[in-house]
Amino acid sequence: MNQPHKEHAELAEKFNADEDRVNWHDETLWWIRQKRDKIVWQLPEWEQLRETASQIKHNVLSHLSEYLLEFEANAQKNGVTVHWAANGEEHNKIVYKLLKEQGVTQMVKSKSMLTEECHLNEFLEKQGIEVVDTDLGERIVQLAKEPPSHIVLPCIHWKKEEIGELFHKFLGTPEGNADPQFLTHAARLALRQDFLTRKVALTGVNFAVAETGEFVVCTNEGNADMGAHLSNVHIASMGIEKLIPKRKHLGVFLRLLTRSATGQPITTYSSHFSKPRPGQQMHIILVDNGRSVHLGKEEFRNSLKCIRCGACMNTCPVYRRSGGHSYHNAVAGPIGSILAPNFDMRKNADLPFASTLCGSCSNVCPVKIDIHDQLYKWRQVLAKEGHTPKAKTAAMKVMAVTLSKPGIFTVAGKMGRIVMRNVPGLVNNKLNPWFKQREMPEAPKESFREWYQKNRKK
């Protein structure tokens, strides 16, 4: 936490030092993108589903306070205790208070990007609480003392051989065994004891239904269900934007979520939680943590529609070749780059520039967030607020003046041609890496304007 802040470019350079890993990371994520495409093409109504989901989320964001109060009232009728947290610090204190009331020092947790955003694990560890992440990918990065690098595939940057070494160190598996099936079984055996002995379990929330007060948790491993059903206390951490108005709307989002995330028709487990079983406590923590501020920014509020599928990461050429940790935030990739500046504009000013603005992220987003457009708009905001490097700001100002003044543009063009023709080796220097890729034509002897003026009377 106290380490000096590093920007995306520097962290990406570190990731790119291992070229084989970069290529493998790139190809793996693109393979998932291709899986997504194949299953999407099987649904003629795919674009209609996207548009419907986007409109439902638009309605939620436009009436968020009303839906939150409706959800709270219905959840309380179901016997659920509802807590409100203005920020990550309040969220963490609520969780700790609930653990203290139970007199426990251990807790199991399924995947929750919100708790990563709030740095819950680090906070509880300082209070003497042991947290065991039960999602396999999350458990791998937890043992390695790393944050997740992807919101759906937390350890996508790890190779199976490295996981084998990690499990040998922490779980006692045979040295050199990198068989995925064997390692998965070893993790399952180790986690089963944690499930059976922990009295408190925390889960995330994928969707919450205002109409009924229930919430839905989607997993492929069943770890959220195991933790929730075996514990005496179930805590659910939920960002306030996770609401949908009615239960019937779930069908739209469940069809979109996993197809976009991993190319599956639906998650293996889509578990509905509405009330605690007899003798159990159930708590929901509704967390703002900057979302209300984001909601008030009309140009950027669409990003709150995000359902955390990770499709934008799988398709992004920058993310695929720079890795999730280069974004220095809980949520990486294109969506993280438009969410992060809202939390800390100065710290995250580099992220909107970590993009080619190709638009692929917007094309695959299941709720039609205009991600690449928001990245461009954030660049404008950051430049106006003075959060871009001085050299880049100065260069952009010079470019703006040059392009907006025909006279200056013409003079600059002539000077450029003079330099290109008279500086030895500048153009056709075969040592230049550019020429390892392609041949560069000779610099023109006259501009189009000069040619046109000379030949227009002919």
Coordinates of all heavy atoms in Angstrom, one line a residue, residues 92-158:
N92 N -15.7 -2.5 5.2 CA -14.8 -3.4 5.9 C -15.1 -3.4 7.4 O -15.0 -4.5 8.1 CB -13.4 -3.0 5.7 CG -13.0 -3.1 4.2 OD1 -13.6 -3.8 3.5 ND2 -11.9 -2.5 3.8
K93 N -15.4 -2.3 8.0 CA -15.8 -2.2 9.4 C -17.0 -3.0 9.7 O -17.1 -3.6 10.8 CB -15.9 -0.7 9.8 CG -14.5 0.0 9.9 CD -14.7 1.4 10.4 CE -13.4 2.1 10.5 NZ -13.5 3.6 10.9
I94 N -18.0 -2.9 8.8 CA -19.2 -3.7 9.0 C -18.9 -5.2 9.0 O -19.4 -5.9 9.9 CB -20.3 -3.4 7.9 CG1 -20.8 -1.9 8.1 CG2 -21.5 -4.3 8.0 CD1 -21.6 -1.4 6.9
V95 N -18.1 -5.6 8.1 CA -17.8 -7.1 8.1 C -17.1 -7.5 9.3 O -17.4 -8.5 10.0 CB -16.9 -7.4 6.8 CG1 -16.4 -8.8 6.9 CG2 -17.7 -7.1 5.5
Y96 N -16.1 -6.7 9.8 CA -15.3 -7.0 11.0 C -16.2 -7.0 12.2 O -16.1 -7.9 13.1 CB -14.2 -5.9 11.2 CG -13.4 -6.2 12.4 CD1 -12.7 -7.4 12.6 CD2 -13.2 -5.2 13.3 CE1 -11.9 -7.6 13.7 CE2 -12.4 -5.4 14.4 CZ -11.8 -6.6 14.6 OH -11.0 -6.8 15.7
K97 N -17.2 -6.1 12.3 CA -18.1 -6.0 13.4 C -19.0 -7.3 13.5 O -19.2 -7.9 14.5 CB -19.0 -4.8 13.3 CG -20.1 -4.7 14.4 CD -20.8 -3.3 14.2 CE -21.9 -3.2 15.2 NZ -23.1 -4.1 15.0
L98 N -19.4 -7.8 12.3 CA -20.2 -9.0 12.3 C -19.3 -10.2 12.7 O -19.8 -11.1 13.4 CB -20.8 -9.2 10.9 CG -21.8 -8.2 10.4 CD1 -22.1 -8.4 8.9 CD2 -23.0 -8.3 11.3
L99 N -18.1 -10.2 12.3 CA -17.2 -11.3 12.7 C -16.9 -11.3 14.2 O -16.9 -12.4 14.9 CB -15.9 -11.2 12.0 CG -15.9 -11.5 10.4 CD1 -14.6 -11.1 9.8 CD2 -16.2 -13.0 10.2
K100 N -16.7 -10.1 14.8 CA -16.5 -10.0 16.2 C -17.7 -10.4 17.0 O -17.6 -11.1 18.0 CB -16.2 -8.5 16.6 CG -14.8 -8.1 16.2 CD -14.4 -6.7 16.7 CE -14.4 -6.7 18.2 NZ -14.1 -5.3 18.7
E101 N -18.9 -10.1 16.5 CA -20.2 -10.5 17.2 C -20.3 -12.0 17.3 O -20.8 -12.6 18.2 CB -21.4 -10.0 16.5 CG -21.5 -8.4 16.6 CD -22.7 -7.9 15.8 OE1 -23.3 -8.7 15.0 OE2 -23.0 -6.7 15.9
Q102 N -19.7 -12.7 16.3 CA -19.7 -14.2 16.2 C -18.6 -14.8 17.0 O -18.5 -16.0 17.2 CB -19.7 -14.7 14.8 CG -21.0 -14.3 14.0 CD -22.3 -14.9 14.6 OE1 -22.3 -16.1 14.9 NE2 -23.3 -14.0 14.8
G103 N -17.6 -14.0 17.4 CA -16.4 -14.4 18.1 C -15.5 -15.3 17.2 O -14.9 -16.3 17.8
V104 N -15.5 -15.0 15.9 CA -14.7 -15.9 15.1 C -13.4 -15.1 14.5 O -13.5 -13.9 14.5 CB -15.5 -16.4 13.9 CG1 -16.7 -17.3 14.4 CG2 -16.0 -15.3 13.0
T105 N -12.4 -15.8 14.2 CA -11.2 -15.2 13.6 C -10.9 -15.8 12.2 O -9.8 -15.6 11.7 CB -10.0 -15.5 14.5 OG1 -9.8 -16.9 14.7 CG2 -10.2 -14.8 15.9
Q106 N -11.9 -16.5 11.6 CA -11.7 -17.2 10.3 C -13.0 -17.0 9.5 O -14.1 -17.0 10.0 CB -11.4 -18.7 10.5 CG -10.1 -18.9 11.2 CD -10.0 -20.4 11.6 OE1 -10.9 -21.1 11.9 NE2 -8.7 -20.9 11.5
M107 N -12.8 -16.9 8.2 CA -13.9 -16.7 7.3 C -13.6 -17.2 5.9 O -12.4 -17.1 5.5 CB -14.3 -15.2 7.2 CG -15.4 -14.9 6.3 SD -15.8 -13.1 6.2 CE -14.4 -12.6 5.1
V108 N -14.6 -17.9 5.3 CA -14.4 -18.3 3.9 C -15.1 -17.2 3.0 O -16.1 -16.6 3.4 CB -15.0 -19.7 3.6 CG1 -14.1 -20.7 4.2 CG2 -16.4 -19.8 4.0
K109 N -14.5 -17.0 1.8 CA -15.0 -16.0 0.9 C -15.0 -16.5 -0.5 O -14.0 -17.0 -1.0 CB -14.2 -14.7 1.0 CG -14.6 -13.6 0.1 CD -13.9 -12.3 0.5 CE -12.5 -12.2 0.1 NZ -12.3 -12.1 -1.4
S110 N -16.1 -16.3 -1.2 CA -16.1 -16.6 -2.6 C -15.8 -15.3 -3.4 O -15.7 -14.3 -2.8 CB -17.5 -17.2 -3.1 OG -18.5 -16.2 -3.0
K111 N -15.7 -15.5 -4.8 CA -15.2 -14.4 -5.6 C -16.1 -13.1 -5.4 O -17.3 -13.2 -5.5 CB -15.2 -14.8 -7.0 CG -14.6 -13.7 -7.9 CD -14.7 -14.0 -9.4 CE -13.9 -15.2 -9.7 NZ -14.0 -15.6 -11.1
S112 N -15.5 -12.0 -5.1 CA -16.2 -10.7 -5.0 C -15.2 -9.6 -5.4 O -14.3 -9.3 -4.6 CB -16.7 -10.5 -3.6 OG -17.0 -9.2 -3.4
M113 N -15.4 -9.0 -6.6 CA -14.5 -7.9 -7.0 C -14.7 -6.7 -6.1 O -13.8 -5.9 -6.0 CB -14.8 -7.6 -8.5 CG -14.3 -8.7 -9.4 SD -12.7 -9.4 -9.1 CE -11.7 -7.9 -9.3
L114 N -15.9 -6.6 -5.5 CA -16.2 -5.4 -4.6 C -15.2 -5.5 -3.4 O -14.7 -4.5 -3.0 CB -17.6 -5.4 -4.2 CG -18.0 -4.3 -3.2 CD1 -17.7 -2.9 -3.8 CD2 -19.5 -4.4 -2.8
T115 N -15.0 -6.7 -2.8 CA -14.1 -6.8 -1.7 C -12.7 -6.5 -2.1 O -11.9 -6.0 -1.3 CB -14.3 -8.2 -1.0 OG1 -13.9 -9.2 -1.9 CG2 -15.7 -8.4 -0.5
E116 N -12.3 -6.8 -3.3 CA -11.0 -6.5 -3.8 C -10.9 -5.0 -3.9 O -9.9 -4.4 -3.6 CB -10.8 -7.1 -5.2 CG -10.7 -8.6 -5.2 CD -9.5 -9.2 -4.5 OE1 -8.5 -8.4 -4.4 OE2 -9.5 -10.3 -4.1
E117 N -12.0 -4.4 -4.4 CA -12.0 -2.9 -4.5 C -11.9 -2.2 -3.2 O -11.2 -1.2 -3.0 CB -13.3 -2.5 -5.2 CG -13.6 -1.0 -5.3 CD -15.0 -0.8 -5.8 OE1 -15.5 -1.5 -6.8 OE2 -15.7 0.1 -5.3
C118 N -12.5 -2.8 -2.1 CA -12.4 -2.3 -0.8 C -11.2 -2.7 0.0 O -11.0 -2.3 1.2 CB -13.7 -2.7 0.0 SG -15.2 -2.0 -0.7
H119 N -10.4 -3.6 -0.6 CA -9.2 -4.2 0.1 C -9.6 -4.9 1.4 O -8.9 -4.7 2.5 CB -8.2 -3.1 0.4 CG -7.8 -2.3 -0.9 ND1 -7.0 -2.9 -1.9 CD2 -8.0 -1.1 -1.3 CE1 -6.8 -2.0 -2.9 NE2 -7.4 -0.9 -2.5
L120 N -10.6 -5.7 1.4 CA -11.2 -6.3 2.6 C -10.2 -7.3 3.2 O -10.0 -7.3 4.4 CB -12.5 -7.0 2.3 CG -13.1 -7.8 3.4 CD1 -13.5 -6.9 4.6 CD2 -14.2 -8.7 3.0
N121 N -9.5 -8.1 2.4 CA -8.6 -9.1 2.9 C -7.5 -8.5 3.7 O -7.2 -8.9 4.8 CB -8.0 -10.0 1.8 CG -9.0 -11.0 1.2 OD1 -10.2 -10.9 1.4 ND2 -8.5 -12.0 0.5
E122 N -6.9 -7.4 3.2 CA -5.8 -6.8 3.8 C -6.2 -6.2 5.2 O -5.5 -6.3 6.2 CB -5.2 -5.7 3.0 CG -4.5 -6.2 1.7 CD -5.5 -6.2 0.5 OE1 -6.7 -6.5 0.7 OE2 -5.1 -5.8 -0.6
F123 N -7.4 -5.6 5.1 CA -8.0 -5.0 6.4 C -8.2 -6.0 7.4 O -7.8 -5.8 8.6 CB -9.3 -4.3 6.0 CG -10.0 -3.8 7.3 CD1 -9.7 -2.6 7.9 CD2 -11.1 -4.5 7.8 CE1 -10.4 -2.1 9.0 CE2 -11.8 -4.1 8.9 CZ -11.4 -2.8 9.5
L124 N -8.8 -7.1 7.1 CA -9.1 -8.2 8.1 C -7.9 -8.9 8.6 O -7.8 -9.2 9.8 CB -10.1 -9.2 7.5 CG -11.5 -8.7 7.2 CD1 -12.4 -9.8 6.6 CD2 -12.2 -8.2 8.5
E125 N -6.9 -9.0 7.7 CA -5.6 -9.7 8.2 C -5.0 -8.8 9.3 O -4.4 -9.3 10.2 CB -4.7 -9.8 7.0 CG -5.1 -11.0 6.1 CD -4.3 -11.0 4.8 OE1 -3.3 -10.3 4.7 OE2 -4.6 -11.8 3.9
K126 N -5.1 -7.5 9.1 CA -4.5 -6.6 10.1 C -5.2 -6.7 11.5 O -4.7 -6.4 12.5 CB -4.5 -5.1 9.6 CG -3.6 -4.9 8.5 CD -3.7 -3.4 8.0 CE -2.7 -3.2 6.9 NZ -2.9 -1.8 6.3
Q127 N -6.5 -7.1 11.4 CA -7.3 -7.3 12.6 C -7.2 -8.7 13.2 O -7.9 -9.1 14.1 CB -8.8 -7.0 12.3 CG -9.1 -5.8 11.6 CD -8.4 -4.5 12.2 OE1 -8.5 -4.4 13.4 NE2 -7.9 -3.6 11.4
G128 N -6.3 -9.5 12.6 CA -6.1 -10.9 13.1 C -7.1 -11.9 12.5 O -7.3 -13.0 13.1
I129 N -7.8 -11.6 11.4 CA -8.8 -12.5 10.8 C -8.2 -13.2 9.6 O -7.6 -12.6 8.8 CB -10.1 -11.7 10.4 CG1 -10.7 -10.9 11.5 CG2 -11.1 -12.6 9.8 CD1 -11.2 -11.7 12.6
E130 N -8.3 -14.5 9.6 CA -7.9 -15.3 8.5 C -9.0 -15.4 7.4 O -10.1 -15.9 7.7 CB -7.4 -16.7 8.9 CG -6.9 -17.5 7.7 CD -6.8 -19.0 8.1 OE1 -7.2 -19.4 9.2 OE2 -6.2 -19.7 7.3
V131 N -8.7 -15.0 6.2 CA -9.7 -15.1 5.1 C -9.2 -16.1 4.1 O -8.0 -16.0 3.7 CB -9.9 -13.7 4.4 CG1 -10.9 -13.8 3.3 CG2 -10.3 -12.6 5.4
V132 N -10.0 -17.0 3.8 CA -9.7 -18.1 2.8 C -10.6 -17.8 1.6 O -11.8 -18.0 1.6 CB -9.9 -19.5 3.3 CG1 -9.6 -20.5 2.2 CG2 -9.0 -19.7 4.5
D133 N -9.9 -17.5 0.5 CA -10.7 -17.4 -0.8 C -10.9 -18.8 -1.4 O -10.0 -19.6 -1.5 CB -9.9 -16.5 -1.8 CG -10.0 -15.0 -1.6 OD1 -11.1 -14.5 -1.6 OD2 -8.9 -14.4 -1.4
T134 N -12.2 -19.0 -1.7 CA -12.5 -20.4 -2.1 C -12.7 -20.6 -3.6 O -12.8 -21.8 -4.0 CB -13.8 -20.8 -1.4 OG1 -14.9 -19.9 -1.7 CG2 -13.6 -20.8 0.2
D135 N -12.8 -19.6 -4.3 CA -12.7 -19.7 -5.8 C -11.3 -20.2 -6.1 O -10.3 -19.6 -5.6 CB -13.0 -18.4 -6.5 CG -12.8 -18.4 -8.0 OD1 -13.7 -18.7 -8.7 OD2 -11.7 -18.0 -8.4
L136 N -11.2 -21.1 -7.0 CA -9.8 -21.7 -7.3 C -8.8 -20.7 -7.8 O -7.7 -20.6 -7.3 CB -9.9 -22.9 -8.3 CG -8.6 -23.6 -8.6 CD1 -7.9 -24.1 -7.4 CD2 -8.9 -24.7 -9.6
G137 N -9.2 -19.9 -8.7 CA -8.3 -18.9 -9.3 C -8.0 -17.9 -8.2 O -6.8 -17.4 -8.1
E138 N -9.0 -17.4 -7.4 CA -8.7 -16.5 -6.3 C -7.8 -17.1 -5.3 O -6.9 -16.4 -4.7 CB -10.0 -16.1 -5.7 CG -10.9 -15.3 -6.6 CD -10.7 -13.8 -6.5 OE1 -9.8 -13.4 -5.7 OE2 -11.3 -13.0 -7.3
R139 N -7.9 -18.4 -5.0 CA -7.1 -19.0 -4.0 C -5.6 -19.1 -4.5 O -4.7 -18.9 -3.7 CB -7.6 -20.4 -3.7 CG -6.9 -21.2 -2.6 CD -6.9 -20.4 -1.3 NE -6.3 -21.2 -0.2 CZ -5.8 -20.6 0.9 NH1 -5.9 -19.3 1.1 NH2 -5.3 -21.3 1.8
I140 N -5.5 -19.3 -5.8 CA -4.1 -19.4 -6.3 C -3.4 -18.0 -6.2 O -2.3 -18.0 -5.7 CB -4.2 -19.8 -7.8 CG1 -4.6 -21.2 -7.9 CG2 -2.8 -19.5 -8.5 CD1 -4.9 -21.7 -9.4
V141 N -4.1 -16.9 -6.5 CA -3.4 -15.6 -6.4 C -3.3 -15.2 -4.9 O -2.3 -14.5 -4.6 CB -4.1 -14.5 -7.2 CG1 -4.0 -14.8 -8.7 CG2 -5.5 -14.4 -6.8
Q142 N -4.2 -15.7 -4.1 CA -4.1 -15.4 -2.7 C -2.8 -16.1 -2.1 O -2.1 -15.4 -1.3 CB -5.3 -15.8 -1.9 CG -5.3 -15.5 -0.4 CD -6.5 -16.0 0.3 OE1 -7.0 -17.1 0.1 NE2 -7.0 -15.2 1.3
L143 N -2.6 -17.3 -2.4 CA -1.4 -18.0 -1.9 C -0.1 -17.4 -2.5 O 0.9 -17.3 -1.8 CB -1.4 -19.5 -2.4 CG -2.5 -20.4 -1.7 CD1 -2.5 -21.8 -2.3 CD2 -2.3 -20.5 -0.2
A144 N -0.2 -16.8 -3.7 CA 0.9 -16.1 -4.3 C 1.1 -14.7 -3.8 O 2.0 -14.0 -4.2 CB 0.8 -16.2 -5.8
K145 N 0.1 -14.3 -2.9 CA 0.1 -12.9 -2.4 C 0.1 -11.8 -3.5 O 0.8 -10.9 -3.6 CB 1.3 -12.6 -1.5 CG 1.4 -13.5 -0.3 CD 2.4 -13.1 0.7 CE 2.5 -14.1 1.9 NZ 1.2 -14.2 2.6
E146 N -0.8 -12.1 -4.5 CA -1.1 -11.2 -5.6 C -2.6 -10.9 -5.7 O -3.4 -11.7 -5.2 CB -0.7 -11.9 -6.9 CG 0.7 -12.1 -7.2 CD 1.0 -12.7 -8.6 OE1 0.0 -13.0 -9.3 OE2 2.1 -12.9 -8.9
P147 N -2.9 -9.7 -6.3 CA -4.3 -9.5 -6.6 C -4.7 -10.2 -7.8 O -3.9 -10.6 -8.6 CB -4.3 -7.9 -6.8 CG -3.0 -7.6 -7.3 CD -2.0 -8.6 -6.6
P148 N -6.0 -10.4 -8.1 CA -6.5 -11.0 -9.3 C -6.1 -10.1 -10.5 O -6.0 -8.9 -10.4 CB -8.0 -11.1 -9.2 CG -8.3 -10.9 -7.7 CD -7.1 -10.1 -7.2
S149 N -5.8 -10.7 -11.7 CA -5.4 -10.0 -12.8 C -6.6 -9.9 -13.8 O -6.5 -9.2 -14.8 CB -4.2 -10.6 -13.5 OG -4.5 -11.8 -14.1
H150 N -7.7 -10.5 -13.5 CA -8.8 -10.6 -14.4 C -10.1 -10.8 -13.6 O -10.0 -11.5 -12.6 CB -8.7 -11.7 -15.4 CG -9.6 -11.7 -16.6 ND1 -11.0 -12.0 -16.4 CD2 -9.5 -11.5 -17.9 CE1 -11.6 -12.0 -17.6 NE2 -10.7 -11.7 -18.5
I151 N -11.2 -10.1 -13.9 CA -12.4 -10.2 -13.0 C -13.1 -11.6 -13.1 O -13.8 -11.9 -12.2 CB -13.4 -9.1 -13.3 CG1 -13.8 -9.1 -14.7 CG2 -12.8 -7.7 -12.9 CD1 -14.8 -8.0 -15.1
V152 N -12.9 -12.3 -14.1 CA -13.5 -13.6 -14.3 C -12.4 -14.7 -14.1 O -12.7 -15.8 -13.6 CB -14.2 -13.8 -15.6 CG1 -14.8 -15.2 -15.8 CG2 -15.4 -12.8 -15.7
L153 N -11.2 -14.5 -14.6 CA -10.1 -15.5 -14.6 C -9.0 -14.9 -13.8 O -8.0 -14.4 -14.4 CB -9.7 -15.7 -16.1 CG -10.8 -16.0 -17.1 CD1 -10.4 -15.8 -18.5 CD2 -11.3 -17.5 -16.9
P154 N -9.1 -15.0 -12.5 CA -8.1 -14.3 -11.6 C -6.6 -14.6 -11.8 O -5.8 -13.8 -11.6 CB -8.6 -14.6 -10.2 CG -10.0 -15.2 -10.4 CD -10.0 -15.8 -11.7
C155 N -6.4 -15.9 -12.2 CA -5.0 -16.3 -12.4 C -4.6 -16.6 -13.8 O -3.8 -17.5 -14.1 CB -4.7 -17.5 -11.5 SG -5.6 -19.0 -11.9
I156 N -5.2 -15.9 -14.7 CA -5.0 -16.2 -16.2 C -3.6 -16.0 -16.5 O -3.1 -16.6 -17.5 CB -5.9 -15.3 -17.0 CG1 -5.9 -15.6 -18.5 CG2 -5.6 -13.8 -16.8 CD1 -6.4 -17.0 -18.8
H157 N -2.8 -15.2 -15.8 CA -1.4 -15.0 -16.1 C -0.5 -16.1 -15.5 O 0.7 -16.0 -15.7 CB -1.0 -13.6 -15.5 CG -1.2 -13.5 -14.0 ND1 -2.4 -13.5 -13.4 CD2 -0.3 -13.4 -13.0 CE1 -2.3 -13.4 -12.1 NE2 -1.0 -13.3 -11.8
W158 N -1.0 -17.0 -14.8 CA -0.2 -18.1 -14.3 C -0.3 -19.4 -15.2 O -1.3 -19.7 -15.7 CB -0.8 -18.5 -12.9 CG -0.3 -17.7 -11.8 CD1 -0.6 -16.4 -11.5 CD2 0.7 -18.0 -10.8 NE1 0.0 -15.9 -10.4 CE2 0.8 -16.9 -9.9 CE3 1.4 -19.2 -10.5 CZ2 1.7 -16.9 -8.8 CZ3 2.2 -19.2 -9.4 CH2 2.4 -18.1 -8.6

